Amino acid sequence: MGLACRLSALGLLLSALLVCTRSQDRESVFAIVGEDFTFSPKVNGTIREITWMKNKDKAAEWEQDAKSPVYYYSLAERGVLETSSGNLTIKKLNIGDAAEYEAQVLPVGVDQLQYTKFVLAVLDPPPPSVLNCSITNGQIRISCEIQFSKDVRYSWYRDDRKIDANSPVLELKGNVNPSEKVLCVREVSKTKINNSISLSTCIPENPESLSRGRAGLIAFFVIIIILLLFMGALVVLWKRGLLSNILDQIPTKHSAVYKSEEQHLTDDDRFPEESGQKEDYENISGRNQEPEEKKNSKESLSMNQADNSSNQEKTEEKKNSKESLSMSQADHSFNQEKTDLKLESETD
């Protein structure tokens, strides 16, 4: 009996030392703000009860007879406790989640708790960065290194083909296809940062092509500026009401054709309903019309005849005036003779 008591006491001491040793074990872990992080405790046996502590406060707990776990404080909406494994997941981490977490597990058939501790550090995301490339000794050197307090894992892809290289720097031979793209993937915890670069940006261009490209770019900007100025002038004219006047003064092709056709239109063409009755007569009379030259000669001849008749009338009038003058002179002489005769008779 004395030996059995001694062995049982020794077993209790060893178990107490084991519990104390487990309680002193801490695993330092880290995660990035916004990530989901899962704690995985060490469990021997089937879980009967489990309690998670954040520093010295309860964060979550579950008993075998309970239907679902109970969450406390900030984990009420962001915590997920798996009763079979004891894993605790915190969704969308923030800086306030950084703390010491402890899992207290009581397996079935065991009267001693099993402890697992974690010290969680929540870090800000890595700073943004771009890829840099250069040519050294005929080789293209691409760097995507970032400065971070924790380990960073690097992966490289060349036109969607993975390159076996876990380094922040990738070196390629100078004889490459400029159209290819290189992708660098940086992993910190569960956060991935992807950046790609085209190999054409790493290969120096011909100076002549550079000058041509610059000249084309300058010409493009000049054209853009001219178009903007022209549109601005149109807007100013439109606001002042001058644009409509300018458009009215500009003859269009349609209006010119319309005017030329209108000049050749006659009254009969404009009013075809009134000329319908005259159409047959005009068609018949049009056949009998004389040529334009003959018509003109006839008109000139009639004008000459009119001139001759007018000259003849003038001559006859002049002749009549002379005859009337001679008759008046004869009458005067006749009256004079009668007067002389009368005087002579009176004298006798």
Side-chain angles (χ1 to χ4, degrees), residues 158-274:
R158 183 176 176 180
D159 275 356
D160 299 331
R161 298 190 306 272
K162 188 174 182 179
I163 301 174
D164 188 13
N166 184 15
S167 172
V169 178
L170 178 67
E171 293 184 355
L172 301 173
K173 294 182 180 180
N175 188 14
V176 296
N177 186 359
S179 62
E180 292 183 349
K181 289 186 178 181
V182 174
L183 174 66
C184 176
V185 180
R186 289 157 285 194
E187 297 183 51
V188 180
S189 184
K190 295 180 180 180
T191 299
K192 293 183 179 181
I193 304 173
N194 302 336
N195 290 103
S196 63
I197 189 172
S198 177
L199 294 180
S200 60
T201 61
C202 304
I203 301 174
E205 297 183 0
N206 190 1
E208 294 182 358
S209 62
L210 288 175
S211 61
R212 292 177 182 175
R214 291 175 182 174
L217 188 62
I218 293 172
F220 174 76
F221 281 113
V222 169
I223 293 173
I224 293 297
I225 292 172
I226 292 174
L227 289 176
L228 291 176
L229 292 175
F230 178 73
M231 293 177 65
L234 289 179
V235 171
V236 172
L237 292 175
W238 175 72
K239 288 184 177 180
R240 294 183 179 180
L242 301 176
L243 184 60
S244 59
N245 297 333
I246 295 174
L247 294 176
D248 293 338
Q249 294 177 1
I250 299 175
T252 60
K253 183 178 179 181
H254 177 71
S255 61
V257 172
Y258 178 78
K259 289 181 179 179
S260 61
E261 292 179 353
E262 186 178 5
Q263 291 176 357
H264 294 287
L265 290 177
T266 62
D267 294 337
D268 295 336
D269 294 328
R270 295 194 184 109
F271 307 99
E273 65 276 5
E274 296 181 2

Side-chain angles (χ1 to χ4, degrees), residues 62-74:
W62 175 80
E63 295 181 359
Q64 193 174 23
D65 297 334
K67 293 182 180 180
S68 60
V70 179
Y71 302 95
Y72 300 92
Y73 301 105
S74 61

Side-chain angles (χ1 to χ4, degrees), residues 86-124:
N87 293 346
L88 176 64
T89 301
I90 303 176
K91 295 183 177 181
K92 297 181 180 180
L93 288 173
N94 54 53
I95 297 296
D97 293 325
E100 181 183 84
Y101 293 84
E102 183 182 56
Q104 300 175 359
V105 180
L106 182 63
V108 176
V110 179
D111 295 332
Q112 297 178 353
L113 294 174
Q114 299 177 2
Y115 299 91
T116 307
K117 287 187 178 182
F118 301 91
V119 178
L120 174 64
V122 181
L123 306 177
D124 291 326

Side-chain angles (χ1 to χ4, degrees), residues 44-88:
N44 294 324
T46 303
I47 298 176
R48 185 174 67 182
E49 295 179 5
I50 182 172
T51 301
W52 276 93
M53 305 291 292
K54 179 181 179 182
N55 294 330
K56 295 181 180 181
D57 300 323
K58 284 186 179 182
E61 65 178 352
W62 175 80
E63 295 181 359
Q64 193 174 23
D65 297 334
K67 293 182 180 180
S68 60
V70 179
Y71 302 95
Y72 300 92
Y73 301 105
S74 61
L75 299 186
E77 297 179 355
R78 298 184 298 121
V80 177
L81 177 59
E82 297 179 6
T83 58
S84 58
S85 61
N87 293 346
L88 176 64

